[in-house]
Amino acid sequence: MQTLMWTVDKNVDNLETYPQIKEAAQNLKQNEVVAFPTETVYGLGGNAESDEAVLKIFEAKGRPGDNPLIIHIANTEQIHSFVKGIPEQASRLMDAFWPGPLTIILEKKEGTLSEKATAGLSTVAVRMPDHPVALALIEESGLPLAAPSANLSGKPSPTTAAHVADDLTGRISGIVDGGATGVGLESTVVDCTGGIPVILRPGGVTKEQLEEVVGEVSADPALTDEGQAPKAPGMKYRHYAPNSPFYLVDGSKEEIQQLVNEKRNEGQRVGVMTTKENKDFYDANVVKTCGERARLETVAEALYDTLRAFNKEDLDIIFGEIFPEQGVGQAIMNRLSKASGLPIIIK
Ligand code: TXA
Ligand code: MG
């Protein structure tokens, strides 16, 4: 399959009238799948009402069929055809954070969406992305779009069109290139089907920000206890994995350098993932800088690009610094732990 590339400037007016957007939307209406930018990561969109389109998404990504997709909308009217109702707290969260990096789980109304999109669950995940290209594409297609991150399953999520092309060229109809995404980590997923909202996946909107709007918010115990089964099916899979063993180290830069020296003395090629503050300190085969520790949002923004860049190096082992689990640091540490899949080395 030929994969088309449509380049658009996200800052121009009336994006939905642009030929690139019209062509991409036309593909979506014909149940083809198209990657597009959001403010978090690139998504791989398809008509959420069509089994055919949804199957193409799962196939292109190599995604397990038991992992449901997020339904992307451009206006709140679109929701009513596929949810049973909007509880008070969900409504407040939508007012506060949409469009934006928050996905809300609601009770699903039967009959509209493809059963495959929701993996047969009685609930559905919905979000309104804060990106002019995503919104224009959804508007122009007139469809709710099922869209997981546009990476091969298991790989880091894509934050540029080039990342999408690396993974999915030849497997999808096209890519709308609207430049690099902003947040860099996926949306926060919050379950609003019970009483107190529950965070199933930390992300761009922090727990603290949610609590300012709805009071108490809890977190899925599986986020901190590996013995528990996560409530978001996707959270049980290892993700974002670099090709070499990747160890997070809870220790000083001197202690990390010592680990590097030990491995290099054994003849291994060693990588270090650090931040701007420490980049000149390390002596290793490869040192990569992931944002600036003093501004955690820059770490989030650079995280997946840095993980992907390590995959272009030939290394035996990588050591990474950890981050405080506050604010967006929670989501950063959640993704880093999943990328590592190994116990943290505590010094
Ligand atoms: O920022 C994002 O959310 C990006 C962009 C493209 O919007 N999308 C994204 O989708 O990260 P994906 O498919 O990579 O992750 C969706 C997560 C998975 O962990 C999935 O299991 C969970 O949401 N999820 C979807 N529907 C659910 C439901 N009904 N109940 C619980 N978890 C659900
Ligand atoms: Mg994903």
Side-chain angles (χ1 to χ4, degrees):
M1 181 192 293
Q2 198 201 347
T3 301
L4 299 170
M5 185 69 89
W6 297 286
T7 305
V8 294
D9 175 356
K10 68 175 183 184
N11 299 313
V12 300
D13 290 333
N14 302 323
L15 263 173
E16 60 282 359
T17 64
Y18 273 65
Q20 299 93 319
I21 296 286
K22 285 206 175 292
E23 202 179 317
Q26 195 56 37
N27 272 267
L28 290 165
K29 285 192 254 189
Q30 288 164 350
N31 295 335
E32 296 298 335
V33 296
V34 166
F36 61 93
T38 80
E39 81 283 25
T40 58
V41 300
Y42 272 73
L44 179 59
N47 177 2
E49 295 174 355
S50 156
D51 282 349
E52 181 195 356
V54 169
L55 270 178
K56 285 181 186 168
I57 295 175
F58 279 94
E59 262 173 40
K61 280 183 60 94
R63 179 176 176 110
D66 69 349
N67 191 4
L69 308 178
I70 296 172
I71 312 303
H72 293 63
I73 54 163
N75 56 67
T76 40
E77 286 83 72
Q78 272 184 295
I79 294 189
H80 298 285
S81 72
F82 61 84
V83 305
K84 280 192 177 149
I86 302 178
E88 168 65 23
Q89 287 181 316
S91 169
R92 282 207 251 156
L93 291 174
M94 289 171 186
D95 287 346
F97 297 107
W98 280 6
L102 181 69
T103 294
I104 300 178
I105 312 271
L106 298 168
E107 297 289 346
K108 185 179 74 171
K109 192 194 274 179
E110 295 301 324
T112 314
L113 297 176
S114 156
E115 278 291 310
K116 295 184 171 29
T118 52
L121 298 179
S122 62
T123 55
V124 57
V126 200
R127 113 173 174 92
M128 190 190 293
D130 186 15
H131 195 291
V133 172
L135 292 172
L137 191 61
I138 301 167
E139 285 282 0
E140 183 56 26
S141 72
L143 299 166
L145 295 185
S149 48
N151 51 285
L152 284 175
S153 221
K155 291 277 184 70
S157 296
T159 53
T160 65
H163 293 165
V164 180
D166 279 347
D167 280 13
L168 298 178
T169 296
R171 303 172 73 94
I172 62 176
S173 281
I175 303 170
V176 183
D177 181 355
T181 60
V183 178
L185 298 179
E186 302 87 340
S187 62
T188 304
V189 178
V190 59
D191 184 346
C192 286
T193 60
I196 298 168
V198 187
I199 296 175
L200 306 189
R201 177 176 75 178
V205 176
T206 65
K207 183 163 189 272
E208 295 83 347
Q209 287 173 310
L210 295 173
E211 281 175 338
E212 271 175 35
V213 176
V214 287
E216 190 184 353
V217 171
S218 67
D220 184 356
L223 290 174
T224 44
D225 177 355
E226 284 188 15
Q228 305 253 353
K231 294 200 180 64
M235 296 295 281
K236 69 174 179 274
Y237 297 105
R238 186 168 174 223
H239 268 116
Y240 325 119
N243 296 336
S244 341
F246 173 44
Y247 284 93
L248 295 169
V249 186
D250 182 357
S252 65
K253 55 184 190 294
E254 291 78 11
E255 286 164 330
I256 295 176
Q257 182 62 50
Q258 203 183 336
L259 288 169
V260 172
N261 295 345
E262 285 165 17
K263 290 294 169 192
R264 290 185 83 186
N265 288 340
E266 292 170 15
Q268 298 201 18
R269 282 180 55 81
V270 186
V272 174
M273 182 162 151
T274 181
T275 52
K276 196 173 159 198
E277 289 88 342
N278 293 346
K279 76 173 179 5
D280 295 327
F281 174 81
Y282 292 107
D283 178 22
N285 298 86
V286 173
V287 178
K288 292 208 183 286
T289 305
C290 181
E292 198 181 331
R293 177 168 287 278
R295 294 190 300 136
L296 284 182
E297 66 281 6
T298 63
V299 176
E301 194 181 330
L303 188 62
Y304 292 142
D305 188 55
T306 311
L307 289 173
R308 280 181 179 261
F310 271 119
N311 279 350
K312 300 209 155 83
E313 306 285 348
D314 180 23
L315 295 168
D316 297 304
I317 190 164
I318 305 165
F319 294 110
E321 297 175 353
I322 62 164
F323 296 89
E325 291 194 46
Q326 271 142 27
V328 75
Q330 282 188 348
I332 292 170
M333 282 305 290
N334 171 268
R335 304 307 193 276
L336 280 174
S337 308
K338 287 201 173 293
S340 163
L342 296 163
I344 293 185
I345 298 177
I346 300 172
K347 281 291 165 186

